[in-house]
Amino acid sequence: MRMVDLIHKKRSGEALNEQEIQYIVSGYTQGDIPDYQMSALLMAIFFNGMTSEETSILTLAMAGSGEMIDLSAIAGVKVDKHSTGGVGDKISLIVGPIVAYLGIPVAKMSGRGLGHTGGTVDKLESIPGFQIELTKEAFIEAVNTNKIAIVGQSGNLAPADKKIYALRDVTATVESIPLIASSIMSKKIASGADAIVLDVKIGSGAFMKTVNDARVLARTMVDIGKSLNRNTIAMITDMEQPLGREIGNANEIRESIEVLRGTGDKELTAVAISVAAYMSVLGKAFNTFEEAQEAITDIVTNGKALETFKRFVANQGGDPGVVDRPELLPTAAYHFEVVASKDGYVSQIDAEQIGIAAMLLGAGRAKKEDQIDYAVGLTLNKKIGDAVKHGDSICTLHANREDVKEVETMIREAYRIDSEKPAAVQLIYDVIL
Ligand code: URA
């Protein structure tokens, strides 16, 4: 087989077969196929797309390029959850303990944050003592005893995807539905999930900017999952504004605990309940979404999953005292208020700008090597639809430095205040089964 012929085939709009895709993925991962040929192929895929069969084969080939995590020693349906990324997205921290409380095993591998979006692993590490690295045996043991463990992604998970994604990043081929879908799903398949709930975000802080694009991506990923015998559901949820009120690592742990206590932000709570409900239906704890939603609303309202969260934290070396004494989490030295410049209603909050502002305070990384500060972040005191008066605080900055002028300006610019009350924000746009 010659790579040049496969590039030609794809360029002509023909579908590649299993042998050909395997040849490309293993050849590129091992360094036998050079970047320039792979770049040409990626551009041909970008323009000509892939059939659903090609996309599933590519997913499986990338998943199989490294370690395939075997979770068969854990009883029950292992339901994973993946978000396409957003600002203030702490849903995994909330749904993990809820689903575990229901007896469904949560054996989750999560990533770190980069750019304007945060990562679950960084957020957990803001809990004093929390260890995100467990041996495979300890990971399985933790899930078997506590029903939940969350660890960092293994370095050898889908290495083909890692290499191809880095190349896509510099060849303007990231925004291709089959390439995004196979990239995300390859990591889910390699990490051993039996069933998957995908949270596809849309809006100013998300990868997908329109509901239609999100639907196509969601449908492609659900079809990949099903073709590989993983029951998969995709929700399309809002990221026009950050999710919840807190952004920053310790801040988001604090807010997740509030939701688990039943006293959290209503919109964040509603999205978390829906995600947990779909996970628990896939995990076979309930037959219907409605039953699951009712039971999980009760769990959240009555703080029933807080003990599960404490056990999960303690089992990974963290201080479970943070649940009842959030002041044990890292706190920032300075607090500054950004105030409204006029009366009206908040009509827009640019999630990406807010994410970048939090990153500039030190809550996130501009480059992979950057160190993050767990204590810093933002509290959004006003969200879309809230009435504000001139001089009201719209956002509190938690900072570890005194000069935050640049960040204050970004936040002021990210908020738009109009005289008319905007339409209510839609939280969930669609669910793809
Ligand atoms: N996230 C991924 O993991 N891969 C993509 O291609 C895009 C987003």
Side-chain angles (χ1 to χ4, degrees):
M1 222 177 285
R2 292 191 321 154
M3 184 65 175
V4 64
D5 299 327
L6 303 182
I7 297 169
H8 193 275
K9 189 172 178 186
K10 192 75 237 173
R11 197 194 71 184
S12 313
E14 287 176 61
L16 300 169
N17 64 34
E18 185 168 356
Q19 248 189 332
E20 292 164 340
I21 292 174
Q22 278 294 355
Y23 169 83
I24 293 164
V25 171
S26 63
Y28 185 61
T29 313
Q30 285 157 20
D32 298 335
I33 293 173
D35 283 350
Y36 55 82
Q37 285 192 310
M38 193 62 185
S39 304
L41 181 79
L42 290 170
M43 194 56 87
I45 293 173
F46 181 90
F47 282 114
N48 288 332
M50 286 185 122
T51 64
S52 49
E53 196 185 349
E54 280 180 293
T55 313
S56 294
I57 295 169
L58 176 61
T59 304
L60 209 49
M62 292 199 294
S65 66
E67 190 177 5
M68 296 281 273
I69 311 285
D70 178 5
L71 299 179
S72 58
I74 299 169
V77 184
K78 275 74 71 183
V79 186
D80 202 351
K81 176 251 159 200
H82 178 83
S83 158
T84 57
V87 180
D89 184 357
K90 64 276 294 171
I91 295 283
S92 290
L93 297 166
I94 303 167
V95 299
I98 294 172
V99 171
Y101 173 86
L102 288 165
I104 300 164
V106 179
K108 185 151 181 55
M109 295 194 165
S110 288
R112 295 192 180 278
L114 187 61
H116 71 281
T117 62
T120 301
V121 157
D122 298 319
K123 294 171 197 177
L124 284 168
E125 280 186 334
S126 74
I127 301 173
F130 196 96
Q131 295 300 317
I132 56 100
E133 278 182 33
L134 295 182
T135 63
K136 208 173 297 168
E137 294 70 28
F139 178 54
I140 288 174
E141 166 81 19
V143 181
N144 274 331
T145 46
N146 281 327
K147 295 290 173 205
I148 175 167
I150 302 182
V151 294
Q153 222 162 54
S154 145
N156 194 29
L157 205 72
D161 170 65
K162 203 174 281 172
K163 207 169 164 195
I164 294 170
Y165 194 32
L167 189 63
R168 286 166 56 208
D169 217 10
V170 292
T171 55
T173 51
V174 168
E175 298 89 349
S176 151
I177 298 275
L179 294 178
I180 298 171
S182 56
S183 165
I184 292 173
M185 292 301 283
S186 67
K187 287 168 284 204
K188 295 288 111 185
I189 302 294
S191 52
D194 297 322
I196 304 154
V197 173
L198 300 160
D199 183 1
V200 179
K201 302 280 184 205
I202 56 157
S204 60
F207 215 54
M208 295 282 126
K209 303 293 179 200
T210 69
V211 182
N212 273 347
D213 284 351
R215 269 200 196 104
V216 178
L217 177 63
R219 169 54 59 207
T220 307
M221 292 194 287
V222 168
D223 288 348
I224 293 173
K226 289 186 173 163
S227 74
L228 301 176
N229 291 323
R230 268 57 165 207
N231 213 347
T232 305
I233 289 176
M235 301 169 66
I236 297 174
T237 68
D238 183 66
M239 191 42 69
E240 268 305 331
Q241 62 177 339
L243 193 53
R245 295 192 173 254
E246 300 289 348
I247 297 126
N249 298 282
N251 282 10
E252 294 192 39
I253 294 285
R254 240 178 250 123
E255 188 172 35
S256 303
I257 294 167
E258 280 170 23
V259 173
L260 287 169
R261 199 185 292 291
T263 56
D265 175 78
K266 288 202 170 38
E267 290 168 359
L268 171 63
T269 303
V271 177
I273 289 174
S274 291
V275 174
Y278 282 112
M279 288 176 77
S280 59
V281 170
L282 292 189
K284 306 214 180 303
F286 300 98
N287 290 321
T288 66
F289 171 76
E290 288 71 24
E291 273 176 62
Q293 195 180 29
E294 192 181 331
I296 293 167
T297 302
D298 171 62
I299 291 169
V300 170
T301 310
N302 296 302
K304 292 181 178 172
L306 273 177
E307 283 306 312
T308 313
F309 183 82
K310 281 187 194 170
R311 271 204 311 280
F312 152 59
V313 168
N315 194 52
Q316 291 192 228
D319 181 356
V322 298
V323 170
D324 298 314
R325 295 179 57 207
E327 66 276 13
L328 295 175
L329 288 163
T331 42
Y334 304 100
H335 293 89
F336 302 96
E337 305 301 328
V338 178
V339 300
S341 54
K342 57 179 178 181
D343 292 1
Y345 294 91
V346 176
S347 59
Q348 223 173 307
I349 307 176
D350 186 318
E352 186 171 358
Q353 284 293 100
I354 294 285
I356 295 171
M359 183 187 80
L360 292 178
L361 284 177
R365 300 181 183 82
K367 306 183 296 302
K368 270 196 196 116
E369 313 68 57
D370 291 348
Q371 288 291 322
I372 56 176
D373 182 341
Y374 298 123
V376 301
L378 306 170
T379 302
L380 306 183
N381 301 316
K382 301 287 179 189
K383 299 277 309 268
I384 293 180
D386 287 345
V388 289
K389 290 244 168 293
H390 177 257
D392 280 355
S393 170
I394 51 175
C395 176
T396 306
L397 270 67
H398 307 247
N400 270 334
R401 60 171 194 262
E402 284 184 83
D403 179 12
V404 291
K405 287 274 169 295
E406 181 196 6
V407 179
E408 282 178 340
T409 305
M410 281 189 83
I411 291 167
R412 214 169 283 116
E413 287 172 356
Y415 269 81
R416 184 168 157 177
I417 297 173
D418 279 324
S419 52
E420 301 281 308
K421 189 173 164 73
V425 174
Q426 190 169 345
L427 295 176
I428 299 171
Y429 291 88
D430 207 351
V431 178
I432 310 289
L433 304 170

